[in-house]
Amino acid sequence: MLTPTVVSHTTVRRASRNSPTSPRTSARCSSCAMRHLCMPQGLAPDDLPKLEALICNARSVRRGEALYRAGDPFDTLYAVRSGSLKTVMAHRDGREQVTGLRLAGDPLGIDGISTDFHTCSAVALEDSSVCIIPYSALKHLCRETGAMQDRLHRLMSEQLIRESSQMMVLGSLSADERVAAFLLDVSERNGQRGYSHAEFNLRMTREDMGSYLGMTLETVSRTLSRFQKRGLIDTQGKLIRIIDIEGLRHL
């Protein structure tokens, strides 16, 4: 089974929220296939309706559209309901760095909690949808429900661990090891979502991969070609098929 995987400012953000091209639809955790990975994980059945009362809407985000941009005021957390988005930070000289890949079930917007402003941008890699979670209401629910507070803390910790692991990838692994680690990570995350771990559409461009892995576009392309020649993977455009997963693990 194939699956997609895996920055204007406040005025643009508000316009996007109200745009007819970004309609809102109802969202229910109890009927969402990603609830085992998302906010409801670990909640008692009696607590789920309280969370659903907060997450009453889902918003569509078109490919290439920014859900929010660095510098936008923070008041909302999001959960990816379908599709995928990348997070991007800008250097002082204007260069952009891809910092994360968010798949269905992943949280978005946690970066804004510290300063009440988003420190990165979130951009849709494909037509996607996100659930809308007002942060002030979520804080109130956390005070009422210890399990919800524990879940929010776990989500924050998981994001910290993922970012720390990415720093290790950038700081200590070779080009081959970086690309292999990335493909294995996407493979594992797809499996957690009930999709094929061996075959998937990688929505990130080769340039995005290079930015995320601290490599040039040319190095990414050469590495993937080398993997293909060695029989580790097969690539056809964005379609990636892992042929020898143990071979990737032992690079």
Side-chain angles (χ1 to χ4, degrees), residues 8-156:
S8 223
H9 293 70
T10 304
T11 55
V12 173
R13 179 169 176 257
R14 288 172 177 168
S16 177
R17 283 183 169 184
N18 298 320
S19 170
T21 64
S22 300
R24 295 189 181 192
T25 57
S26 61
R28 293 186 63 82
C29 297
S30 56
S31 61
C32 179
M34 295 299 125
R35 62 185 179 276
H36 65 292
L37 296 171
C38 198
M39 288 284 186
Q41 186 188 93
L43 294 186
D46 291 345
D47 291 330
L48 188 57
K50 300 175 184 178
L51 180 60
E52 285 188 325
L54 299 184
I55 309 175
C56 53
N57 288 311
R59 173 191 156 188
S60 62
V61 193
R62 290 187 174 182
R63 181 172 64 88
E65 179 187 353
L67 175 63
Y68 55 81
R69 293 185 180 274
D72 282 350
F74 165 78
D75 56 14
T76 305
L77 291 177
Y78 303 92
V80 183
R81 190 172 183 85
S82 65
S84 56
L85 297 91
K86 63 180 178 180
T87 52
V88 181
M89 294 191 73
H91 296 277
R92 291 181 180 179
D93 59 7
R95 289 178 299 162
E96 293 181 345
Q97 175 85 36
V98 177
T99 59
L101 173 63
R102 302 288 184 257
L103 307 181
D106 286 341
L108 271 167
I110 290 176
D111 61 285
I113 293 177
S114 173
T115 63
D116 292 328
F117 290 91
H118 287 289
T119 59
C120 66
S121 304
V123 181
L125 293 169
E126 58 187 306
D127 289 349
S128 306
S129 65
V130 297
C131 294
I132 302 168
I133 311 164
Y135 184 58
S136 59
L138 180 62
K139 286 195 297 182
H140 182 74
L141 178 59
C142 286
R143 287 193 291 269
E144 290 186 344
T145 307
M148 187 68 251
Q149 186 174 55
D150 289 344
R151 180 57 182 147
L152 182 58
H153 288 165
R154 286 180 181 275
L155 288 171
M156 292 178 177

Side-chain angles (χ1 to χ4, degrees), residues 154-251:
R154 286 180 181 275
L155 288 171
M156 292 178 177
S157 179
E158 288 169 3
Q159 184 160 317
L160 178 61
I161 291 170
R162 177 169 292 279
E163 291 174 354
S164 298
S165 297
Q166 181 63 13
M167 289 178 64
M168 185 188 72
V169 167
L170 295 177
S172 62
L173 300 187
S174 67
D176 282 10
E177 290 170 330
R178 293 182 196 187
V179 174
F182 175 70
L183 295 177
L184 290 170
D185 178 61
V186 174
S187 169
E188 179 183 357
R189 293 167 73 186
N190 275 342
Q192 292 171 345
R193 287 156 177 78
Y195 301 125
S196 172
H197 65 84
E199 196 168 285
F200 46 84
N201 283 312
L202 187 58
R203 296 302 183 180
M204 270 190 174
T205 65
R206 302 293 191 259
E207 187 174 8
D208 283 339
M209 283 181 60
S211 176
Y212 184 54
L213 297 174
M215 302 161 59
T216 64
L217 167 63
E218 293 76 13
T219 302
V220 170
S221 297
R222 285 197 302 266
T223 303
L224 291 173
S225 296
R226 189 161 55 250
F227 284 3
Q228 184 159 346
K229 289 178 181 178
R230 293 175 57 180
L232 299 173
I233 65 171
D234 182 42
T235 64
Q236 297 179 17
K238 292 184 178 296
L239 178 64
I240 302 289
R241 184 163 66 93
I242 297 179
I243 300 172
D244 185 358
I245 195 165
E246 289 302 319
L248 284 179
R249 288 172 178 159
H250 286 91
L251 282 174

